[in-house]
Amino acid sequence: MRMIDIIEHKRDGKILTNEEINFFITNYVDGKIPDYQVSALLMAILFRGMSDEEIFNLTNDMLHSGDIIDLSKIKGVKVDKHSTGGVGDKTSLVLGPLVASCGAKLAKMSGRGLGHTGGTLDKMESIPGMQINISEDNFISQVNKIGMAIVGQTGHLVPADKKLYALRDVTGTVDSLPLIASSIMSKKLASGSDSILLDVKVGSGAFMKTLEMGEELAKTMVSIGKYFKKDTRAILTDMDEPLGLAVGNNLEVIEAINTLKGNGPKDLTELCIKAGAIMLLQAKICASFEEGEKLLQSKIENGEAFKKFVEFVEAQGGDITYVLNTSKFEKAKYEISIKSNKSGYITKIDALEIGEFAMKLGAGREKIEDKIDYSAGIILSKKIGDFVNSGDELCKIYTNKENYEEIIKEIKNSFIISENKPENRKIIYKVIS
């Protein structure tokens, strides 16, 4: 078998066999196929697409290119969730303690952020002492003991994806649905959970810009999960404006804490309650979605959800005094109020722009080696649909950088203000199961 033949087959629109896909993945991971040939195949896949069978085979070979985590020693149904990423997305820090306080077992491996703000691991590390690298035995023990753990991915998990993603990133082949779906699902399947909830973000601040694109990706990933006999469901959620109010690492941790105490933003709270109810169905803890919602709400009201967050932080070495007293978190040197210069209803807050401004303030990475400023970011004072008077505060920016004047000038353009009140927005557009 030759790689050139596989490239030509896909170039000509043919369906690749299981043997061809296995040959390509195995030999590329082993370093026997050069990047330039794999780049050609990735571009052919981008233009020609893949059948369901090809996607299943690609996911399977990527999944088995490295370690597969065995979570059989964890008692009960293991649940996991994955977000395709967005601005202000601190959902895991709320959802994990919420479902764990109800008896679910969340065993989650997460990643770092590149661009915008940090990923879940970066947010966790903004809590002094918090460890994201723990042994597999300790990971399993912690989930058995307190019901949850969130850790960094191991270096031997799906090496095929690491190599392919790095190549896609520099060859213009990131925007391929089969490659996106197989990348996400191979990692989730290798993580060992029994069920997976996929949060597919849709809108200006998301990778999938339209509902149609998001739905196609969600259905593909759910079909992969079912093929591998995992209870896989997806929600399509709004990312046309940032989720919640806080954008930035320790700012988002503080907002997650407030949400677990019942004082969180409406959209973040609603998303976590509804997503959590689906996860409780998957964990077979509740018989109905409505029962799950009520149980989760009760755990916020009686303080058990926040208590579980404290246990989680303590178990992974974090200083819980910061969680119990959020005023201890490091504060940025500069705190600047951005005010509206006109009156009207906010009809748009460009999530992508807000995320990019937060990154420029120090809250995210442009390059993988960049150091994150945990205290930097943006807190919105208004959301879409709110009325503002001229002079009212739109948001506050937090930074330790001296040259923030240009951002102040530009950030107002992220808020579109009109005389007409926009229609009420949904945080969840659709559930796919």
Side-chain angles (χ1 to χ4, degrees), residues 10-25:
K10 182 45 67 178
R11 179 200 66 190
D12 296 338
K14 294 179 181 178
I15 291 177
L16 300 181
T17 66
N18 186 20
E19 289 75 21
E20 287 175 317
I21 293 172
N22 182 262
F23 176 88
F24 143 56
I25 291 293

Side-chain angles (χ1 to χ4, degrees), residues 106-343:
L106 180 91
K108 179 169 173 55
M109 292 189 176
S110 197
R112 295 195 181 276
L114 182 58
H116 297 174
T117 52
T120 298
L121 299 182
D122 300 295
K123 295 175 178 60
M124 287 169 57
E125 286 186 327
S126 73
I127 304 171
M130 196 77 174
Q131 301 297 310
I132 52 91
N133 295 312
I134 61 177
S135 70
E136 187 174 323
D137 285 345
N138 287 341
F139 177 68
I140 290 170
S141 174
Q142 182 177 317
V143 177
N144 271 327
K145 184 177 179 182
I146 69 168
M148 70 170 292
I150 302 176
V151 298
Q153 293 168 355
T154 71
H156 302 291
L157 205 69
V158 198
D161 181 64
K162 290 182 177 68
K163 291 194 72 171
L164 286 176
Y165 192 87
L167 198 57
R168 287 166 58 206
D169 197 35
V170 295
T171 56
T173 53
V174 169
D175 296 348
S176 164
L177 189 143
L179 297 177
I180 295 169
S182 59
S183 171
I184 292 172
M185 291 304 295
S186 62
K187 288 180 287 193
K188 287 290 101 181
L189 292 164
S191 296
S193 285
D194 301 311
S195 68
I196 304 163
L197 177 64
L198 301 161
D199 180 359
V200 179
K201 303 291 187 189
V202 175
S204 68
F207 189 71
M208 312 308 288
K209 301 299 180 187
T210 68
L211 189 58
E212 292 73 24
M213 291 169 61
E215 186 166 356
E216 186 179 3
L217 175 61
K219 286 181 175 178
T220 301
M221 292 193 293
V222 168
S223 69
I224 292 171
K226 289 183 176 179
Y227 176 82
F228 286 91
K229 296 180 171 52
K230 301 286 186 179
D231 182 345
T232 308
R233 311 183 195 193
I235 50 176
L236 297 169
T237 65
D238 177 60
M239 191 40 70
D240 264 335
E241 66 175 337
L243 180 62
L245 300 172
V247 181
N249 296 280
N250 72 24
L251 301 176
E252 292 188 44
V253 170
I254 293 168
E255 184 165 273
I257 290 168
N258 290 335
T259 303
L260 288 165
K261 289 181 173 181
N263 302 314
K266 180 182 175 184
D267 58 343
L268 176 61
T269 301
E270 181 182 348
L271 173 58
C272 290
I273 292 289
K274 292 185 181 302
I278 295 171
M279 293 174 75
L280 293 185
L281 284 173
Q282 292 176 297
K284 298 178 173 38
I285 287 172
C286 292
S288 71
F289 180 82
E290 293 74 19
E291 182 187 340
E293 285 187 303
K294 288 178 182 176
L295 181 58
L296 291 160
Q297 191 62 52
S298 73
K299 296 298 182 180
I300 291 176
E301 291 170 359
N302 66 19
E304 289 185 24
F306 173 64
K307 181 181 177 184
K308 186 62 65 178
F309 184 79
V310 175
E311 290 178 6
F312 158 60
V313 171
E314 188 170 35
Q316 291 186 214
D319 186 342
I320 63 170
T321 65
Y322 283 75
V323 175
L324 299 172
N325 179 12
T326 56
S327 66
K328 288 189 67 173
F329 277 101
E330 179 188 356
K331 295 177 178 60
K333 182 177 179 181
Y334 301 105
E335 178 182 326
I336 303 100
S337 177
I338 308 297
K339 295 182 178 176
S340 175
N341 53 14
K342 63 185 292 188
S343 298

Side-chain angles (χ1 to χ4, degrees), residues 12-147:
D12 296 338
K14 294 179 181 178
I15 291 177
L16 300 181
T17 66
N18 186 20
E19 289 75 21
E20 287 175 317
I21 293 172
N22 182 262
F23 176 88
F24 143 56
I25 291 293
T26 301
N27 286 282
Y28 183 50
V29 171
D30 289 345
K32 296 176 182 177
I33 300 175
D35 282 350
Y36 61 81
Q37 283 192 309
V38 177
S39 297
L41 179 58
L42 294 176
M43 190 61 74
I45 291 171
L46 176 74
F47 283 115
R48 289 295 192 173
M50 284 183 134
S51 69
D52 286 349
E53 185 177 356
E54 285 177 295
I55 294 172
F56 297 155
N57 288 332
L58 176 60
T59 305
N60 186 59
D61 287 323
M62 290 172 65
L63 163 66
H64 288 95
S65 67
D67 294 343
I68 298 175
I69 306 299
D70 180 6
L71 300 181
S72 60
K73 292 180 182 177
I74 295 176
K75 303 176 185 69
V77 178
K78 280 73 73 177
V79 298
D80 194 5
K81 57 83 63 176
H82 174 81
S83 168
T84 56
V87 181
D89 185 8
K90 71 284 295 179
T91 312
S92 292
L93 298 181
V94 180
L95 254 182
L98 257 180
V99 298
S101 70
C102 297
K105 298 294 176 67
L106 180 91
K108 179 169 173 55
M109 292 189 176
S110 197
R112 295 195 181 276
L114 182 58
H116 297 174
T117 52
T120 298
L121 299 182
D122 300 295
K123 295 175 178 60
M124 287 169 57
E125 286 186 327
S126 73
I127 304 171
M130 196 77 174
Q131 301 297 310
I132 52 91
N133 295 312
I134 61 177
S135 70
E136 187 174 323
D137 285 345
N138 287 341
F139 177 68
I140 290 170
S141 174
Q142 182 177 317
V143 177
N144 271 327
K145 184 177 179 182
I146 69 168

Side-chain angles (χ1 to χ4, degrees), residues 386-404:
D386 289 343
F387 185 85
V388 294
N389 290 302
S390 180
D392 283 354
E393 184 176 85
L394 297 172
C395 65
K396 279 184 179 175
I397 67 172
Y398 298 82
T399 187
N400 288 301
K401 294 188 175 183
E402 304 288 340
N403 54 340
Y404 55 78

